[in-house]
Amino acid sequence: MGSIKSGTKRYRQINWAFFCAGFVTFITLYDVQPLLPVFTREFGVNAMFASLPLSVTSCALAVSMLFAGTISETLGRKTVMVASLVTTSVLAYLTSQTQSLEQLVAVRFLQGIALAGLPAVALAYLSEEIAPASLTSAIGLYISGNAIGGMTGRIFTATMAEATSWRTALAVIGAVCFVLSLYFARSLPPSENFKKRPFAARYLFSSLYRQLQDPGLICLYGISFLIMGSFVTLYNYITFRLLGAPYHLPASLVSLIFLVYMLGSFSSSMIGVQVERFGRGRMLFLTIATMVAGAVFTVSRDLGTIVTGIAIFTCGFFGAHTIASSWVGSRAKTARAQAASLYLFFYYLGSSVSGTVGGVFWTSFGWQGVVLLILGLLGAGLVLLKFLTTCAEGDCPARSAVATLDVLRS
């Protein structure tokens, strides 16, 4: 465990570096999200196929992160993160040069692979360098960068696409992210509590397997899949709803909904204090329940109520993600990079799967169908949370069943 405490110069230096890294990661990952209706028109496809530039990136990111953590243990945490950010920035620019949906999906697939090096390694770096008492706050600030990056990318691309073109918007984002990546490379201190190890494929798979032996971690991985799946599903298809009848809002105005990300940034940075006061289990239940309430609000036809629901939903999501990700970092006693990789694998897999499946619900059942899908995902998350809190108290049904089978075999 690390020793860097909040309030110190080194702590602030690390936080600013990761704030920028989170910004780059999420602005390049989600800059195409408000463009899905544009893709349906330009490429002549339905909502499900228009979501592929986002879903394919998330899927490639999810799978690649399983390997990125182990590679970072051979090449070094900082080396892998810097390479990830620089490559991602270049590919972000190249997306602006694509001329067909197939080309766009192909470049976005490569971008997902490149992106994996940052989120998979960031949580491991922070867990190793930051003192345990300051870890949740540090992760919260990193996730704040994610939130602001995601918000900026969505608003900027939607506004630029309406004023000029979506290709110009993506080219500018690529250039800005390249500069921020260089800042990250220069300002992030090298790891102090990390020891390199030779790459071994056997270690990669054995370490991943060990993380899957902990029922509590499995619950956290499932929760990450479900909350992220519901989050991306809501944001993917709310644009389709507001651009159509009866609202017919312009794309630039619809993109302003993403300003509620600022509330998400605030909730993720403040959640650490509440966790210390009320405990992880209670706060995770509260944040998921907040997402449920927000989703229900969006069923209303009143535009103000819809925006309020999105804001409530977003605050709940960022709080839940902050708690769950920090819980993984503290629960995993060994191979933290692999534990973080698995958490984010399920996190982005949820984005890919539910983000695409949501298109089927939108096409078949409209917004009410999308909300029912979201509520189903979150309900399953609350069930997993019940198992998780039982495991945290040392009376895990799954662990007891395994122990019973071991006794019977002996």
Side-chain angles (χ1 to χ4, degrees), residues 26 123 139 142-143 146 224 227 284 287 316-326 343-344 347-348:
F26 264 57
L123 295 181
I139 291 176
Y142 161 61
I143 293 175
N146 295 349
S224 72
I227 62 173
L284 188 51
T287 52
F317 167 75
F318 278 103
H321 175 38
T322 299
I323 296 168
S325 58
S326 63
Y343 174 85
L344 292 170
Y347 180 82
Y348 288 110

Side-chain angles (χ1 to χ4, degrees), residues 255-312:
S255 70
L256 295 180
I257 289 176
F258 298 114
L259 286 172
V260 301
Y261 262 53
M262 295 298 293
L263 297 176
S265 174
F266 176 78
S267 69
S268 65
S269 61
M270 296 298 294
I271 199 70
V273 177
Q274 305 305 319
V275 167
E276 292 177 3
R277 183 177 179 183
F278 298 106
R280 289 192 179 102
R282 290 177 181 174
M283 289 305 302
L284 188 51
F285 174 84
L286 179 61
T287 52
I288 295 177
T290 300
M291 294 178 70
V292 171
V296 171
F297 269 56
T298 66
V299 176
S300 171
R301 293 176 63 87
D302 177 70
L303 184 59
T305 305
I306 293 172
V307 174
T308 300
I310 294 172
I312 293 171

Side-chain angles (χ1 to χ4, degrees), residues 82-201:
V82 170
S84 170
L85 293 176
V86 172
T87 305
T88 295
S89 302
V90 173
L91 289 170
Y93 176 80
L94 291 179
T95 59
S96 69
Q97 307 302 306
T98 57
Q99 300 300 316
S100 68
L101 181 63
E102 292 78 10
Q103 291 178 2
L104 178 60
V105 169
V107 176
R108 291 283 297 177
F109 175 80
L110 295 176
Q111 195 172 4
I113 296 174
L115 273 168
L118 191 282
V121 181
L123 295 181
Y125 177 99
L126 291 171
S127 297
E128 291 165 351
E129 305 301 323
I130 303 296
S134 303
L135 181 59
T136 300
S137 297
I139 291 176
L141 288 170
Y142 161 61
I143 293 175
S144 294
N146 295 349
I148 294 176
M151 177 195 71
T152 303
R154 290 166 167 98
I155 294 175
F156 180 78
T157 52
T159 304
M160 284 288 289
E162 193 172 68
T164 56
S165 72
W166 62 269
R167 291 182 174 86
T168 300
L170 297 184
V172 172
I173 287 174
V176 171
C177 288
F178 185 78
V179 173
L180 292 176
S181 299
L182 295 181
Y183 170 80
F184 177 85
R186 181 178 180 181
S187 62
L188 184 71
S191 301
E192 291 186 350
N193 299 314
F194 162 73
K195 295 181 180 179
K196 290 185 179 182
R197 67 170 71 234
F199 178 80

Side-chain angles (χ1 to χ4, degrees), residues 221-243:
Y221 299 151
I223 289 171
S224 72
F225 178 96
L226 295 164
I227 62 173
M228 183 55 168
S230 63
F231 181 74
V232 169
T233 299
L234 184 139
Y235 273 97
N236 271 5
Y237 300 103
I238 193 65
T239 53
F240 285 93
R241 185 187 185 194
L242 297 181
L243 289 171

